[in-house]
Amino acid sequence: MSKHPKYVNILLGVALLMAGCATVRPGEVGMKQTLGKLQPKVYEQGVIGYNPFFTRVIKLPTRTENLEVTLILPSKDGLNIRSEISILYRINSEKAPAVINEIGLNYEEVVILSVFRSAAADVCSRFLAKDMYTDSRANIENDIQSQMQDILSPRGFEIENVLLKSIVLPDGLAQAIENKLEAEQNAEQMNFELQREELEAKRKIIEATGIRDAQKIIESGLTERIIQWQSIEAFKSLASTPGTRLIITDGQAPLLINQEQP
């Protein structure tokens, strides 16, 4: 029985030791808060020892976080566009104490969402509704990200990206935009066909001009002696081929050749 208090003391010591340790995992940082005062030192991943009676360890994630938001966005043409948006952000580990002291643990609702709503409304009001449905979406995303970064970076947040995941346009507008895009594509295709036909016509003109010029060169080089010499060569070629030939000629050039059929 005398050994029981010893074991009890050991168990109490182990319990106190475990209660006075905190583990900071990869992708987060820890800070000690003693009697309500946050210490400026930031602890990276590992084990932190502290006095559980007077101190606690506050942890903040420094990995990239994905904040999903559904928001009604105004457009330049006065329409309201419903959109699902992802905000990719992370906390700067060096500024983690400032985030806790100045904002608190509910920083997403206090600053990130508030700044996002303001930036999104300001940027989208400069674009038409159809721009959110076309390639201009990337410009809208970049402008919102840039505006948020300018405001939140000094507060300890890095806005990595803003993604407009889905856009729900008012009834009939989406179909009207699709019809307009299809008409524009058809017009571009027609312009392409016209340009191709113009190029083909130019090619034929160049080809015909080349043939004409070649014929002129040949005609200018044909003299009576050359024609007589070519006629003699033609007679010799006909005479050397097997079979019977009937040649109608004026004595200078072969005019008709009739090969006897077997």
Side-chain angles (χ1 to χ4, degrees):
M1 298 295 296
S2 60
K3 295 182 178 180
H4 289 173
K6 181 179 180 180
Y7 292 135
V8 171
N9 292 335
I10 293 175
L11 292 175
L12 288 175
V14 172
L16 288 174
L17 181 62
M18 294 179 64
C21 291
T23 302
V24 179
R25 294 177 174 80
E28 63 182 13
V29 294
M31 293 151 288
K32 292 182 180 181
Q33 188 179 42
T34 303
L35 297 176
K37 182 179 180 180
L38 191 69
Q39 303 300 318
K41 184 177 180 180
V42 177
Y43 294 87
E44 302 291 341
Q45 62 184 42
V47 178
I48 304 174
Y50 65 98
N51 186 336
F53 297 104
F54 304 102
T55 304
R56 69 170 181 147
V57 174
I58 300 177
K59 302 176 187 178
L60 281 183
T62 55
R63 69 180 70 88
T64 299
E65 298 288 330
N66 181 15
L67 179 59
E68 300 279 348
V69 184
T70 299
L71 193 65
I72 302 298
L73 301 173
S75 65
K76 186 177 180 179
D77 42 0
L79 298 175
N80 292 324
I81 312 301
R82 184 176 181 273
S83 176
E84 293 181 2
I85 304 164
S86 287
I87 306 170
L88 302 180
Y89 76 95
R90 64 180 178 85
I91 297 176
N92 187 333
S93 60
E94 296 179 356
K95 295 184 179 180
V99 171
I100 298 299
N101 283 327
E102 299 173 7
I103 303 172
L105 293 176
N106 59 337
Y107 48 83
E108 281 192 350
E109 184 65 33
V110 172
V111 293
I112 294 181
L113 284 178
S114 298
V115 172
F116 165 72
R117 291 190 181 100
S118 175
D122 179 61
V123 171
C124 292
S125 64
R126 302 196 298 264
F127 289 85
L128 298 174
K130 69 180 184 65
D131 296 331
M132 304 180 192
Y133 200 73
T134 59
D135 295 340
S136 297
R137 179 187 298 191
N139 296 330
I140 298 174
E141 295 172 340
N142 292 335
D143 289 351
I144 295 175
Q145 176 192 358
S146 178
Q147 192 163 324
M148 292 182 67
Q149 180 70 13
D150 291 342
I151 299 173
L152 294 177
S153 180
R155 307 295 299 273
F157 301 94
E158 297 296 327
I159 306 301
E160 297 181 351
N161 214 334
V162 174
L163 304 174
L164 302 180
K165 297 173 58 178
S166 66
I167 299 293
V168 180
L169 298 175
D171 294 341
L173 180 59
Q175 186 62 44
I177 293 175
E178 290 180 358
N179 293 340
K180 183 177 180 181
L181 292 176
E182 183 178 358
E184 291 176 353
Q185 291 175 354
N186 291 337
E188 290 179 359
Q189 180 66 24
M190 184 175 297
N191 288 333
F192 172 77
E193 295 291 341
L194 290 175
Q195 291 176 2
R196 187 177 65 178
E197 293 297 332
E198 289 177 358
L199 291 175
E200 179 65 15
K202 290 180 180 179
R203 185 195 67 80
K204 290 181 178 179
I205 292 174
I206 294 173
E207 181 181 7
T209 302
I211 294 173
R212 182 198 62 191
D213 293 343
Q215 289 176 345
K216 286 183 178 180
I217 293 173
I218 293 173
E219 290 176 359
S220 64
L222 289 177
T223 62
E224 292 185 1
R225 290 184 176 276
I226 292 177
I227 295 174
Q228 291 177 356
W229 177 77
Q230 288 182 343
S231 298
I232 294 172
E233 291 296 321
F235 280 120
K236 290 171 61 178
S237 176
L238 291 172
S240 62
T241 56
T244 304
R245 300 287 187 278
L246 176 62
I247 302 174
I248 301 174
T249 178
D250 59 356
Q252 296 181 357
L255 301 179
L256 177 63
I257 301 174
N258 181 23
Q259 182 176 359
E260 181 180 353
Q261 300 295 328

